[in-house]
Amino acid sequence: MSNTSDFDSKKRGKRGSFLMAETRGSPDDDGYKRFNAEANNVSYGSASSNPLDEMGSRSSLSRDLDSGDVDHWEMNYHEAAIFLEEGENNEKFDSHPRHPSALPAYLLVHNKWYYGLDLFFSIVLLLLALVEDPAVERFELPPIVHSTLELVCLGVIGIELALKLRWIGWSTILNHKRTMIKCVTLMIMVVEAFVVLVRQSSHFRVTRGLRPIFLVDTRACGAVRRYIRQILQSLPPILDMLVLLLFFVCSYALLGYFLFSSHHNLYFKTLSDSFISMFVLLTTANFPDVMMPSYNQSRWSAVFFISYISTVLYVLMNLMLAVVYETFTGIEKDKFRKLLLHKRQACKLAFRLLVSRQNPNFIRFKQFQGLMKYFSPKTSQRDVILIYRQLNSSNTGLLTQEEFLNIYDAISLRWRHKDPPDPWFSAAWPPLRSLCRSARYIVTWPYFEYIVYTLIIGNGLAMFIRVIESPVDLELGARYFCASWDAWLFYSLFLIEALVRIISFGWAEYISSGWNTFDISVTLLAIFGSILLLFSPSFTAVVILRPLRILRLFKIKKRYRDIFGTLVLLSPLMWSTAVVMMVMYYFFAIVGMELFAEYDAQLENCCVNSTVEPFYKFFSNSTNSSGINYYYLNNFSNLLGSGVTLFELTVVNNWFIIMDAYAIVSDSPYSRIFFMVFYLFTMVVLTIVVASVLEAFRFRIQYKQQTSKRDEELMLHEEVIVDWNSLEHQVNDPKLLESLQMDFMYGGVTSYIGRRARTRDVLQRHMYITEITQWLQEAEHEEGQDINSIIEEAHINARIV
């Protein structure tokens, strides 16, 4: 059989692989379906006079362009890099540019400067709530100013959507839910901003609470979007449990009304009061206040309240956490699977653009180098060679598709010489070299760490003594604690310890350790804080800096190391959680300001003859205050104050007092719906947060149990050996070879070690190795079925013709 026929059959197989999207389980399945029509329109042939550079398939970005006007290989490299970026960013392939005219708009939007601009104006749009009515008087801006700023921000965001239309089109946007929501929200806000600009006054605008949509849609918040998707996927079991929970609340509310309304218990005066009381009792905020009037009438009434709290709080709420944890664990694994297969599909789409017609199953180094120029332009030529060698596990000099599928992992490696380099002071002045060698001997002395721990313990004892003998004057006590002779002694010793380590290993190696960075940072901050305290005695907050060094002692115990390791794994998740909580707070703060800002002035001395009256009594003389009557400060008069109020509602301690006060001053019992809905939202989000923390801690413990230190080192390190003779044959570029002589031994062999970061993604690939093999086998089987169906359909069409 000829080479041409072989290539044609493989070409049909490649075309068939584009239609396997629905069964591959991609995060964004719809994107593949619309891309398939374009994938079949590739043109095969030569883009160069050199037969070795004859392309296997031509990029759709060079369509309709004359061969003499464009380097088609460069367009192939560019489009392949775009595929890999879409796989890495978990983007739908239906947003892929499919025509040369779409490329400029695509590149403009997918630019780091535009990413920063989009993020900046999205944040500015959120901050406008600080200067819009209602706001702090000194911060409030006239409507013409803040509405103009809003239109500018919306204009920049709108440009991104307009440019996206250049390569996507309306038909695709209508099927892209996130983009469609963004479009609708943008149009609503533009209209409202124009109305404010024309009327020169603000109106009822709860839609301002939707502004975080633009922030969440930015490139920087990709992890936040995935976390929100996990929350939405976790909702079904939560809603099922909420229905069961509300059933018990309603049942006990009905029973409590008939049992205790005759006891002159104000909490059960009406059926609605009974439901609100039992809903609040779910948070234990009004316990035992709600029980005591009935308990005074009959001691047996305690059985009702004890059984209620035991059922809904200790059984159903914990059962909800267990259900959410189980669901979240499954979603986390499924998310990893979908992202893995999505990246795999991106690699396959890129691979087809990098093969030549003479080698349709392999990628040469020249094509790989061209890809890296667009996909990772900051990667040095040395690292490009090492990445290529690490991928080429078969040592054939050509990358197969299976080898190319590991490109995301290979690019994450950080390379260094295998042989230990000479100490940084090897070429220093001889006396200095002797000093550095002595410092290294001291640091590597087995008892050096024990001495450091002894100093930390001594510092802790000195602080304990200072606290015991602390004077009455707070400023003087803070000065004794942070700026006394013993404090300066320990600061000096810790600083000397850091300098000895730096002299021994060099600055770069020193800060490569997280604990070293923590030590030097805490020491310098403590010194700076002590100096600041000497010049400004009222700045007593710096007392927190001296005890921080004691955290180093927690490193000794394994359980604390597991906790710190879990925190490292959770750090990206905690950032996403913080943004999600901020988005939720922002939305409810805007709604709260629109609903209740007009009643804030009525909170002082409100709620007369009610159970919450003592909390809102206002005394002009603070000496008459009982300490509980400052609740009028919990209001919605501005964005920051609303945030504080919402946080108090989140803590749920006495949250019903704020709810009842607004129900009274607004003369609307329906205002309680706002506070109840907010509680349900926070309960759902915080339950998922707790479930994610439990899942991360359990994942790390299982990883530690299944992975030895030796296995972990092998997993995190890759070795690549480069022979100069093979390198010359591979590169075939005299200028590049000349520049590589500094990195690789001329005429000899050079060994490099690549190190992976200990990220959750890396650990998951190790933990799920069995499942990954099964997922890939299923994907290959489904891909084979798709290819066979395409071939059969082609034969049928041929017979019909």
Side-chain angles (χ1 to χ4, degrees):
M1 185 177 293
S2 64
N3 292 336
T4 304
S5 61
D6 287 340
F7 178 72
D8 288 339
S9 63
K10 294 180 182 299
K11 182 171 66 175
R12 288 193 298 270
K14 290 178 182 295
R15 290 181 179 179
S17 66
F18 290 102
L19 298 181
M20 65 185 179
E22 188 170 358
T23 56
R24 287 289 300 278
S26 164
D28 299 309
D29 292 326
D30 294 338
Y32 296 109
K33 300 173 185 177
R34 283 178 289 280
F35 189 79
N36 291 336
E38 299 295 336
N40 291 326
N41 290 330
V42 298
S43 57
Y44 294 82
S46 175
S48 173
S49 59
N50 185 355
L52 293 178
D53 290 336
E54 194 171 0
M55 294 183 301
S57 60
R58 179 177 293 181
S59 167
S60 60
L61 299 180
S62 61
R63 180 189 305 159
D64 300 335
L65 295 179
D66 185 31
S67 299
D69 298 334
V70 64
D71 184 349
H72 292 291
W73 266 119
E74 290 296 319
M75 301 305 289
N76 276 27
Y77 300 152
H78 206 159
E79 186 173 12
I82 291 174
F83 275 126
L84 293 181
E85 289 172 359
E86 289 171 336
E88 185 177 34
N89 300 329
N90 197 20
E91 294 180 358
K92 290 183 176 181
F93 291 123
D94 61 355
S95 63
H96 185 86
R98 298 182 287 270
H99 196 273
S101 61
L103 186 59
Y106 181 89
L107 294 178
L108 180 61
V109 173
H110 291 78
N111 179 283
K112 65 178 182 179
W113 294 105
Y114 191 85
Y115 290 150
L117 204 63
D118 190 25
L119 178 63
F120 173 76
F121 281 102
S122 298
I123 294 175
V124 171
L125 190 63
L126 291 178
L127 295 179
L128 285 179
L130 293 171
V131 297
E132 295 170 331
D133 183 43
V136 179
E137 186 175 353
R138 57 182 176 179
F139 293 153
E140 187 174 348
L141 294 178
I144 189 173
V145 177
H146 65 68
S147 59
T148 302
L149 288 174
E150 183 176 5
L151 286 173
V152 171
C153 295
L154 294 175
V156 174
I157 296 171
I159 290 174
E160 186 259 346
L161 290 174
L163 291 173
K164 191 175 275 191
L165 285 173
R166 291 281 297 164
W167 75 85
I168 293 181
W170 279 108
S171 59
T172 304
I173 282 186
L174 292 174
N175 292 284
H176 201 284
K177 296 178 182 178
R178 193 178 79 239
T179 305
M180 193 62 196
I181 293 173
K182 186 176 180 180
C183 284
V184 173
T185 306
L186 181 67
M187 289 188 290
I188 293 174
M189 289 191 173
V190 168
V191 172
E192 288 197 330
F194 270 115
V195 171
V196 173
L197 187 62
V198 172
R199 295 179 64 246
Q200 291 296 298
S201 63
S202 297
H203 55 275
F204 186 78
R205 290 187 63 190
V206 292
T207 54
R208 291 188 300 156
L210 300 177
R211 287 173 177 171
I213 290 176
F214 304 117
L215 175 65
V216 172
D217 195 57
T218 59
R219 171 70 178 275
C221 293
V224 177
R225 291 195 298 273
R226 288 191 288 271
Y227 187 63
I228 292 175
R229 189 182 296 117
Q230 283 184 272
I231 291 177
L232 295 177
Q233 291 172 340
S234 303
L235 280 181
I238 292 179
L239 294 178
D240 292 341
M241 292 302 301
L242 281 180
V243 170
L244 182 61
L245 193 65
L246 290 177
F247 169 78
F248 276 91
V249 172
C250 293
S251 299
Y252 271 90
L254 181 65
L255 180 61
Y257 169 70
F258 284 102
L259 287 178
F260 307 130
S261 58
S262 60
H263 291 177
H264 303 291
N265 190 333
L266 296 178
Y267 294 97
F268 297 92
K269 186 168 56 175
T270 65
L271 195 57
S272 61
D273 290 337
S274 179
F275 172 78
I276 294 170
S277 299
M278 300 312 293
F279 188 91
V280 174
L281 186 57
L282 177 66
T283 67
T284 69
N286 61 347
F287 189 79
D289 301 3
V290 67
M291 182 183 75
M292 298 315 293
S294 299
Y295 188 66
N296 180 54
Q297 296 288 332
S298 171
R299 296 296 190 269
W300 288 103
S301 62
V303 175
F304 171 87
F305 296 96
I306 293 174
S307 64
Y308 174 76
I309 292 179
S310 301
T311 302
V312 299
L313 183 63
Y314 298 120
V315 177
L316 293 182
M317 293 293 283
N318 289 327
L319 187 60
M320 177 187 293
L321 177 60
V323 171
V324 172
Y325 168 74
E326 184 63 28
T327 305
F328 190 88
T329 303
I331 292 174
E332 184 69 25
K333 181 180 289 189
D334 189 58
K335 181 185 74 171
F336 174 77
R337 179 186 67 85
K338 289 182 177 180
L339 186 58
L340 176 72
L341 298 180
H342 185 65
K343 288 182 176 181
R344 185 172 181 267
Q345 179 68 13
C347 291
K348 287 195 170 188
L349 293 172
F351 183 85
R352 97 182 217 282
L353 294 169
L354 299 175
V355 297
S356 64
R357 186 163 184 170
Q358 283 68 29
N359 293 297
N361 296 321
F362 303 98
I363 296 178
R364 296 167 56 235
F365 176 74
K366 181 180 180 181
Q367 278 69 48
F368 184 79
Q369 188 181 27
L371 167 71
M372 294 297 292
K373 181 172 62 174
Y374 291 100
F375 180 52
S376 184
K378 293 185 179 180
T379 303
S380 65
Q381 290 298 326
R382 182 205 71 173
D383 289 354
V384 171
I385 291 172
L386 293 173
I387 291 170
Y388 187 84
R389 291 294 185 98
Q390 195 273 330
L391 288 173
N392 188 213
S393 57
S394 61
N395 294 322
T396 60
L398 299 173
L399 289 184
T400 64
Q401 179 173 275
E402 287 301 318
E403 292 173 337
F404 184 72
L405 294 176
N406 298 315
I407 186 172
Y408 291 109
D409 176 57
I411 287 180
S412 66
L413 295 170
R414 295 295 174 262
W415 301 94
R416 63 173 178 83
H417 278 284
K418 180 182 179 181
D419 298 330
D422 294 334
W424 72 274
F425 51 81
S426 58
W429 183 45
L432 178 60
R433 189 162 61 242
S434 300
L435 175 63
C436 295
R437 191 176 292 111
S438 301
R440 173 162 290 197
Y441 175 78
I442 294 173
V443 172
T444 56
W445 184 41
Y447 296 99
F448 180 76
E449 291 295 332
Y450 293 102
I451 295 175
V452 174
Y453 289 134
T454 302
L455 291 177
I456 295 174
I457 294 173
N459 181 41
L461 292 175
M463 287 188 292
F464 180 73
I465 294 173
R466 288 296 182 184
V467 169
I468 292 177
E469 61 184 20
S470 179
V472 178
D473 183 70
L474 292 178
E475 294 182 358
L476 186 60
R479 184 172 180 177
Y480 284 167
F481 187 81
C482 290
S484 57
W485 67 269
D486 56 287
W488 288 109
L489 173 63
F490 284 107
Y491 293 157
S492 302
L493 293 174
F494 291 144
L495 199 58
I496 291 172
E497 177 234 341
L499 290 175
V500 170
R501 291 182 187 270
I502 294 172
I503 292 173
S504 172
F505 297 109
W507 175 253
E509 188 174 350
Y510 175 80
I511 62 173
S512 64
S513 169
W515 281 108
N516 288 341
T517 305
F518 171 79
D519 290 343
I520 189 66
S521 301
V522 167
T523 302
L524 293 177
L525 285 174
I527 293 173
F528 174 76
S530 300
I531 295 174
L532 184 63
L533 191 63
L534 293 176
F535 289 96
S536 179
S538 62
F539 200 73
T540 57
V542 297
V543 297
I544 191 60
L545 297 174
R546 186 180 177 185
L548 290 179
R549 189 62 195 270
I550 298 179
L551 282 174
R552 182 66 182 254
L553 294 177
F554 291 93
K555 182 185 175 183
I556 301 175
K557 193 172 180 61
K558 180 182 180 299
R559 182 168 299 169
Y560 291 123
R561 292 199 300 271
D562 289 336
I563 292 174
F564 289 136
T566 304
L567 290 176
V568 172
L569 289 179
L570 282 172
S571 54
L573 180 64
M574 290 298 101
W575 163 250
S576 300
T577 301
V579 176
V580 170
M581 293 296 293
M582 186 274 293
V583 166
M584 186 178 65
Y585 272 44
Y586 189 91
F587 174 80
F588 279 96
I590 294 295
V591 176
M593 287 191 294
E594 295 291 348
L595 293 176
F596 305 122
E598 58 181 304
Y599 303 113
D600 291 338
Q602 306 175 27
L603 291 176
E604 296 179 5
N605 295 316
C606 74
C607 314
V608 179
N609 298 326
S610 68
T611 57
V612 298
E613 178 184 4
F615 299 93
Y616 288 91
K617 278 191 175 181
F618 176 74
F619 296 94
S620 57
N621 186 356
S622 60
T623 58
N624 295 328
S625 174
S626 63
I628 64 170
N629 46 14
Y630 294 110
Y631 273 70
Y632 64 90
L633 298 176
N634 298 320
N635 54 50
F636 294 91
S637 58
N638 56 73
L639 184 65
L640 297 179
S642 300
V644 174
T645 302
L646 291 174
F647 184 79
E648 293 186 24
L649 295 175
T650 304
V651 178
V652 302
N653 186 35
N654 285 347
W655 70 281
F656 68 96
I657 296 175
I658 304 173
M659 177 179 68
D660 289 344
Y662 275 104
I664 293 172
V665 297
S666 65
D667 195 24
S668 174
Y670 296 105
S671 63
R672 291 187 173 93
I673 296 176
F674 169 84
F675 298 93
M676 291 181 175
V677 170
F678 176 76
Y679 168 74
L680 292 176
F681 267 78
T682 54
M683 181 181 68
V684 168
V685 174
L686 292 179
T687 300
I688 294 175
V689 170
V690 173
S692 62
V693 172
L694 291 175
E695 193 275 335
F697 187 78
R698 173 178 167 271
F699 175 83
R700 177 173 172 81
I701 295 301
Q702 287 182 338
Y703 166 76
K704 283 293 186 182
Q705 292 175 346
Q706 298 178 17
T707 309
S708 64
K709 204 69 176 176
R710 174 62 178 169
D711 292 338
E712 185 178 50
E713 287 298 316
L714 293 175
M715 178 189 68
L716 297 178
H717 294 84
E718 296 286 347
E719 182 178 358
V720 171
I721 301 175
V722 181
D723 176 68
W724 181 263
N725 293 329
S726 64
L727 184 62
E728 285 182 321
H729 179 72
Q730 171 186 315
V731 174
N732 198 21
D733 184 344
K735 291 185 178 180
L736 179 57
L737 286 171
E738 183 179 356
S739 65
L740 292 174
Q741 291 183 13
M742 296 294 295
D743 300 306
F744 302 100
M745 184 183 299
Y746 179 77
V749 177
T750 309
S751 297
Y752 276 88
I753 295 293
R755 178 175 177 81
R756 298 181 179 90
R758 193 184 282 103
T759 61
R760 183 181 178 88
D761 182 65
V762 172
L763 302 187
Q764 282 178 319
R765 286 203 302 269
H766 174 73
M767 288 286 291
Y768 301 150
I769 185 65
T770 304
E771 290 90 340
I772 288 175
T773 303
Q774 182 180 355
W775 298 336
L776 297 183
Q777 289 175 350
E778 293 174 355
E780 289 292 343
H781 177 68
E782 292 167 357
E783 179 180 350
Q785 288 181 336
D786 290 334
I787 292 174
N788 292 333
S789 64
I790 293 299
I791 294 175
E792 291 174 2
E793 183 180 353
H795 289 166
I796 293 172
N797 293 336
R799 288 196 297 270
I800 292 175
V801 174

